[in-house]
């Protein structure tokens, strides 16, 4: 996992430097968690890696290097880093970003009801029953 300033100039040097197999991750020297995965196939993708509130390492895809500029990918990584710093989770936010506020509220209510029923069953001393 080499550290490398992810720049347009660095991206220009990638063709012909593909790993023999698998992938190599280049971690940006400016934004912690911002990385470029360069695959043996020649493809390269920007990601943001972080720990969620539970301490689990998450990897959020930003975009393919041939579809998004380094500066745009860096700006998105910066926003994600800020979100994590403020206690948010970029992966969850991105997953539900397309929902309307009403649809999001309904999804939260459904999840809350399912979790509530599971807790009620677990606390009642009854045999475990899946209520999903």
């Amino acid at each position: 996992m080499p550290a490398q300033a992810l720049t347009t100039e660095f991206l220009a040097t990638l063709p012909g430097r593909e790993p023999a197999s698998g992938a190599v991750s280049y971690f940006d020297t400016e934004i912690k968690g911002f990385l470029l995965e360069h695959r043996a196939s020649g493809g390269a993708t920007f990601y943001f890696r972080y720990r969620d509130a539970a301490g689990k390492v998450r990897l959020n895809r930003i975009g393919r290097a041939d579809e998004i500029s380094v500066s745009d990918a860096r700006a998105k990584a910066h926003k994600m880093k800020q979100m994590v710093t403020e206690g948010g989770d970029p992966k969850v936010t991105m997953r539900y970003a397309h929902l309307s506020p009403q649809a999001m509220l309904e999804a939260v209510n459904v999840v809350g009801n399912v979790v509530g029923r599971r807790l009620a069953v677990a606390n009642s001393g009854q045999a475990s029953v899946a209520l999903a």
Side-chain angles (χ1 to χ4, degrees), residues 61-82:
R61 182 181 178 276
I62 296 173
R64 291 174 43 125
D66 59 353
E67 296 174 351
I68 185 171
S69 70
V70 177
S71 59
D72 288 345
R74 183 178 300 284
K76 287 185 177 188
H78 183 70
K79 286 180 183 177
M80 289 181 201
K81 183 169 181 64
Q82 177 123 12

Side-chain angles (χ1 to χ4, degrees), residues 30 59 91-92 106 108 112 125:
E30 183 182 328
L59 196 62
K91 199 167 197 83
V92 171
E106 290 172 9
V108 168

Side-chain angles (χ1 to χ4, degrees), residues 3-131:
Q4 173 69 47
L6 298 181
T7 63
T8 305
E9 293 78 20
F10 174 70
L11 279 164
T13 68
L14 289 179
R17 292 180 46 190
E18 293 83 7
S21 64
V24 174
S25 294
Y26 296 99
F27 286 83
D28 188 49
T29 55
E30 183 182 328
I31 300 175
K32 185 176 179 182
F34 180 43
L35 67 104
L36 176 73
E37 179 188 75
H38 188 208
R39 294 176 298 282
S41 65
T45 304
F46 292 107
Y47 291 94
F48 181 69
R49 189 170 86 169
Y50 63 99
R51 288 191 183 272
D52 64 10
K56 186 173 181 181
V57 174
R58 298 285 184 184
L59 196 62
N60 200 19
R61 182 181 178 276
I62 296 173
R64 291 174 43 125
D66 59 353
E67 296 174 351
I68 185 171
S69 70
V70 177
S71 59
D72 288 345
R74 183 178 300 284
K76 287 185 177 188
H78 183 70
K79 286 180 183 177
M80 289 181 201
K81 183 169 181 64
Q82 177 123 12
M83 188 182 298
V84 170
T85 301
E86 295 171 354
D89 188 334
K91 199 167 197 83
V92 171
T93 302
M94 299 279 287
R95 182 179 299 143
Y96 297 109
H98 68 283
L99 295 177
S100 69
Q102 181 63 35
M104 192 173 298
L105 183 60
E106 290 172 9
V108 168
N109 286 334
V110 168
V111 170
N113 289 337
V114 169
V115 170
R117 283 186 274 157
R118 287 184 178 167
L119 287 174
V121 168
N123 291 333
S124 70
Q126 298 175 356
S128 177
V129 177
L131 298 173

